[in-house]
Amino acid sequence: MKLPEAATCAAVNEDEAALATPFVKCLVRLIRAEESYCLWEGKSDAALLAGFIVTRNKRRAIPGMGYPDPHALWRLDMFYSAVGLAIAERFRPVTSPIVEAKPVRPLGAGFSVPGVGSFCPDIHRFGFETFRQLAEAGTRLVDDATADTEVSTDVSLV
């Protein structure tokens, strides 16, 4: 079944708008800065961010247990590092990453009660359905953090 051309154009325009948001541009800059061999130099922003798109079908195919995939941890680290960087760009203070990827033990490892260690069972499924959802999630986190900071800054000046 072929999609109508108008629906295809709308999806492409939505992706282009999402890729043009300040948060997504910040995420792309961060990803490009991580790569030191210039292998990603010719790749488009959409191609670099393709790993962040995890559709429902892809999510279902990922096993529910076991060690998180290193690529999923990298995506999580890049996403929250970009949130921190975008906040820093708004205020110009020095910030550090919010989440630092560390080796993760299997869920429940070291605990006598099963499931006690499963504080984030879907970490290996981290991703978004569309570029738009990626942009909205990152922008929302940055906006919430900067709004909270602006309120606390205004109160301290009084």
Side-chain angles (χ1 to χ4, degrees):
M1 181 175 146
K2 188 174 179 182
L3 289 173
E5 200 167 308
T8 305
C9 289
V12 169
N13 289 339
E14 188 176 278
D15 285 349
E16 288 176 2
L19 292 171
T21 61
F23 171 76
V24 173
K25 286 185 177 222
C26 182
L27 178 59
V28 168
R29 279 195 324 268
L30 186 63
I31 291 171
R32 288 191 188 279
E34 287 283 312
E35 204 278 314
S36 59
Y37 297 107
C38 300
L39 298 174
W40 298 341
E41 194 171 305
K43 282 192 172 186
S44 68
D45 293 349
L48 284 178
L49 297 173
F52 286 88
I53 305 305
V54 182
T55 62
R56 287 187 182 125
N57 291 336
K58 285 183 187 177
R59 217 177 288 276
R60 285 186 196 123
I62 298 171
M65 296 299 291
Y67 288 108
D69 178 25
H71 296 291
L73 294 175
W74 179 82
R75 287 192 312 266
L76 186 71
D77 183 46
M78 287 292 105
F79 179 80
Y80 284 103
S81 293
V83 169
L85 185 59
I87 293 167
E89 287 177 350
R90 285 200 185 172
F91 289 106
R92 301 288 181 220
V94 176
T95 61
S96 62
I98 296 170
V99 175
E100 186 174 333
K102 300 235 184 228
V104 177
R105 296 186 307 189
L107 299 178
F111 296 100
S112 59
V113 180
V116 171
S118 58
F119 63 93
C120 191
D122 285 339
I123 195 167
H124 52 288
R125 293 182 175 132
F126 179 76
F128 303 91
E129 284 280 327
T130 63
F131 288 123
R132 178 181 173 200
Q133 288 180 356
L134 168 68
E136 287 174 351
T139 302
R140 188 178 328 108
L141 287 170
V142 173
D143 289 345
D144 289 349
T146 55
D148 291 345
T149 305
E150 288 170 353
V151 168
S152 66
T153 303
D154 292 341
V155 171
S156 66
L157 294 176
V158 174

